[in-house]
Amino acid sequence: MHLLQPKPIIVTLEIAPSDMAVFNRLREAHFPGHANYLQAHVTLFHKLPGMESSIPEVLACNSRRPSFSLLVDGIVNFGTGIAYTLNSPELQELHAGLQAAFDPWLVRQDRQPLRPHITIQNKVTAFKAAQLHAQLKQAFVPFSIMATGFATWAYLRGPWKALDRFMFTE
């Protein structure tokens, strides 16, 4: 079922639940509780029109592909928080194709090159972010996670409401 709705939609990359469990635990431990109303996620598009029926069609078509791995290759301190950076030529190619398909509706942020990441801390002081960054970098070793599909979400000025999932198929 592909829901059309009046609010803008967010598109995320689905990651294998066992892989995301690590990031969700880190997010629960380090994201300020008053602002942590989302699970860990990989955002692909921040604001697409919820009433545009071709968006779910494009996602469904692009989900007819195998799952693929992403390399978690670093930890970045962005001043008010921490994120794990992801590297995948396959994801970059897939995202570029989606950008071309969604071109008429892309906001400036969604026209930028994709810098995939998973935020585990945000809205903290620079001092707290620097502390966590130093702590996490000490034991960090790159590892792989599996991309398994797409999800769409309605933005509700804070929390997100799950709409659809488009799981990759072999």
Side-chain angles (χ1 to χ4, degrees):
M1 173 166 71
H2 304 300
L3 303 173
L4 295 181
Q5 52 91 48
K7 299 213 179 293
I9 61 170
I10 299 160
V11 178
T12 61
L13 185 68
E14 287 282 287
I15 303 295
S18 58
D19 292 336
M20 282 310 274
V22 172
F23 300 105
N24 283 322
R25 281 193 299 275
L26 286 165
R27 193 172 169 105
E28 285 176 26
H30 301 292
F31 210 101
H34 71 278
N36 191 19
Y37 31 71
L38 300 174
Q39 296 282 304
H41 56 277
V42 180
T43 303
L44 298 179
F45 295 95
H46 297 83
K47 188 177 182 182
L48 291 172
M51 295 304 287
E52 184 52 58
S53 63
S54 64
I55 291 170
E57 292 167 9
V58 166
L59 293 172
C61 182
N62 279 274
S63 69
R64 293 185 198 113
R65 54 160 300 115
S67 297
F68 59 92
S69 70
L70 301 102
L71 180 65
V72 181
D73 66 352
I75 305 170
V76 65
N77 176 348
F78 55 85
T80 59
I82 303 299
Y84 282 80
T85 56
L86 308 174
N87 187 335
S88 167
E90 210 163 345
L91 177 58
Q92 293 295 341
E93 186 177 319
L94 180 58
H95 185 262
L98 292 172
Q99 277 181 314
F102 298 152
D103 183 70
W105 309 290
L106 295 180
V107 296
R108 195 168 98 195
Q109 183 178 19
D110 289 335
R111 291 185 183 281
Q112 304 302 313
L114 181 65
R115 290 187 191 87
H117 62 277
I118 300 172
T119 302
I120 56 122
Q121 182 188 59
N122 199 2
K123 300 175 176 38
V124 299
T125 64
F127 178 75
K128 273 186 128 172
Q131 277 187 313
L132 181 59
H133 185 250
Q135 174 192 335
L136 293 174
K137 281 199 69 106
Q138 282 180 343
F140 178 74
V141 176
F143 60 99
S144 291
I145 59 176
M146 287 301 292
T148 59
F150 305 113
T152 57
W153 307 83
Y155 177 67
L156 305 176
R157 296 189 184 271
W160 298 358
K161 177 184 171 196
L163 297 175
D164 286 317
R165 292 175 73 203
F166 305 85
M167 302 313 290
F168 295 154
T169 56
E170 298 304 320

